[in-house]
Amino acid sequence: MSKQDKCLQLRFKPYHLQLKHTFTLAKSTRVSTPTMLTEIGYNGMVGYGEASMPPYLGENHDTATRFLQSLKLDQFKDPFQLDDILSYVDQIAEGNYAAKASIDIALHDLIGKMRDQPCYKIWGFNPKDAPDTSFTIGIDTPKVIKQKLKEAAGFKILKIKLGLDNDKEIIEAIRSMSSVPICVDANQGWKDKHQALDMTHWLKEKGVIFIEQPMPKKALEETAWLSQNSPLPIIADEAVQRLDDLKKIKGIYSGINIKLMKSTGMREAHKMITLARELNMKVMIGCMTETSCGISAAAQLSPKADWADLDGNLLINNDPFTGVKVNDGKVILLNKPGIGVKKRT
């Protein structure tokens, strides 16, 4: 084994995810998402990672490149020293959460391969406990939404993006074709708490099971009032990113949406699940638009979640990996080492 093989070797390259449909949220529209694909090599083995960077996160190829170039991972001789390595990565610079997640994911994949075990098995999770994943439908015209519904055939829960002035029209279009349960994500689009409360009652009648980030993340008092009066659980997304954010939102939200690109990766996401349970909060494992690398990494945590929204790889048409499977809407964790992904040839 050469001297270079005895230390961590980082490689990365920019990549653009091409969306199958224009993706419209309450505050933005896009047709692609920048991501950074990372690899960490050690002793002839390679772990894969990813940093998906939708614009609202404030990261891009340039920021990720600068951050990753600043890392000196070759000072570490043992990939199992996760605390030391990830503490070093976290302290190099503020922010850069997705870029940090790309290192965390690659390390977990590498360690799993070295132990010849899937990450979920190393953590002691039962793959049968993995929940159904929702399929996301962005804001669009009723005609296009009905087309997207055909692509969602087989999924047992739908995630519907709301937050504009045609919310009811969208839900009615969904219900004209499907009776499956719905979760709603308003992406901070609702501004008035009384109108928001009226919508929660109406949505409950339409078979909605929870509402994600209905109001601006800084509207804490209004959101707390809404949570106390809503017939549906109110779930935090933009309002919570990392572990330290959780205690700040206790009593304001009913649960949290944990995403690896916000939490800096799998290690902190695992800690967030533990703390959320201690705080008696619901847990959703979510995603950005990602390749099968990011989705498969998040899926390792899914057996400990109430809900999963792990469809980001299904919304793109240029996935460079194969990984976690979805069968009739259920997340199927593979018995493959690490996060269970393989590069497409």
Side-chain angles (χ1 to χ4, degrees):
M1 185 165 58
S2 70
K3 190 172 182 179
Q4 188 180 31
D5 286 335
K6 295 179 181 178
C7 60
L8 301 184
Q9 305 152 44
L10 172 63
R11 297 180 292 272
F12 57 90
K13 68 175 183 178
Y15 192 73
H16 280 281
L17 305 178
Q18 303 301 323
L19 305 184
K20 293 179 180 178
H21 296 281
T22 299
F23 196 61
T24 300
L25 311 177
K27 294 185 176 184
S28 65
T29 297
R30 68 180 188 271
V31 295
S32 66
T33 301
T35 192
M36 189 70 80
L37 304 179
T38 58
E39 297 182 2
I40 295 180
Y42 179 82
N43 195 22
M45 289 188 164
V46 177
Y48 298 118
E50 173 182 11
S52 177
M53 300 170 287
Y56 84 90
L57 284 179
E59 296 181 66
N60 53 53
H61 284 150
D62 289 339
T63 64
T65 297
R66 287 195 298 270
F67 179 80
L68 295 172
Q69 284 178 339
S70 73
L71 299 177
K72 294 179 172 56
L73 295 187
D74 57 0
Q75 68 182 288
F76 295 101
K77 315 302 181 185
D78 183 356
F80 285 93
Q81 294 176 344
L82 278 176
D83 275 339
D84 290 346
I85 300 169
L86 295 178
S87 293
Y88 159 76
V89 170
D90 200 18
Q91 292 167 13
I92 284 291
E94 295 290 329
N96 294 283
Y97 296 158
K100 292 172 181 177
S102 74
I103 300 297
D104 170 284
I105 293 168
L107 280 172
H108 279 84
D109 190 37
L110 176 62
I111 288 171
K113 288 173 178 175
M114 292 175 69
R115 296 185 64 175
D116 196 29
Q117 294 288 343
C119 292
Y120 71 81
K121 189 171 288 189
I122 292 172
W123 285 329
F125 298 164
N126 187 342
K128 294 181 180 179
D129 292 338
D132 292 332
T133 178
S134 55
F135 185 88
T136 302
I137 297 178
I139 297 172
D140 219 313
T141 64
K143 181 179 179 180
V144 175
I145 285 173
K146 289 180 180 180
Q147 178 186 340
K148 292 178 180 179
L149 274 174
K150 294 178 181 178
E151 298 175 15
F155 285 82
K156 297 179 176 62
I157 181 170
L158 300 174
K159 181 174 182 177
I160 311 302
K161 297 289 188 177
L162 300 181
L164 298 181
D165 56 3
N166 63 337
D167 288 351
K168 289 188 176 182
E169 182 183 23
I170 290 174
I171 297 299
E172 294 289 11
I174 299 291
R175 281 293 172 247
S176 71
M177 291 186 65
S178 174
S179 61
V180 302
I182 291 173
C183 56
V184 159
D185 185 0
N187 286 115
Q188 308 182 78
W190 299 347
K191 308 304 181 188
D192 182 272
K193 66 179 184 180
H194 297 286
Q195 292 179 357
L197 182 61
D198 289 342
M199 277 296 293
T200 64
H201 285 279
W202 185 82
L203 290 169
K204 188 175 190 303
E205 295 176 359
K206 297 297 179 178
V208 171
I209 58 176
F210 67 83
I211 301 173
E212 189 178 339
Q213 202 62 57
M215 305 193 72
K217 62 182 182 180
K218 293 183 179 179
L220 299 181
E221 291 185 10
E222 293 88 344
T223 302
W225 178 88
L226 180 62
S227 292
Q228 291 166 7
N229 293 282
S230 170
L232 296 172
I234 305 298
I235 308 301
D237 182 6
E238 288 89 344
V240 58
Q241 295 189 355
R242 302 193 60 179
L243 184 66
D244 289 344
D245 296 327
L246 254 69
K247 290 184 178 179
K248 301 174 186 175
I249 64 164
K250 178 175 171 54
I252 299 174
Y253 292 89
S254 312
I256 56 170
N257 185 353
I258 299 173
K259 298 178 180 178
L260 301 190
M261 302 304 150
K262 296 188 303 178
S263 72
T264 71
M266 299 167 71
R267 191 165 182 81
E268 187 152 327
H270 191 302
K271 294 177 181 178
M272 291 176 74
I273 293 174
T274 301
L275 180 56
R277 295 309 187 194
E278 292 174 1
L279 297 175
N280 197 30
M281 301 179 78
K282 294 287 189 179
V283 170
M284 174 190 234
I285 295 294
C287 66
M288 310 298 181
T289 308
E290 301 169 15
T291 73
S292 287
C293 180
I295 298 299
S296 297
Q300 306 300 308
L301 296 155
S302 65
K304 291 301 179 180
D306 298 290
W307 307 294
D309 178 37
L310 297 175
D311 65 339
N313 59 328
L314 304 178
L315 306 179
I316 63 174
N317 57 23
N318 62 336
D319 192 344
F321 295 95
T322 59
V324 67
K325 306 298 181 184
V326 175
N327 186 8
D328 288 331
K330 182 176 174 61
V331 176
I332 306 298
L333 290 168
L334 305 177
N335 189 24
K336 294 183 177 181
I339 61 174
V341 296
K342 183 179 179 181
K343 267 189 172 181
R344 294 182 188 272
T345 56

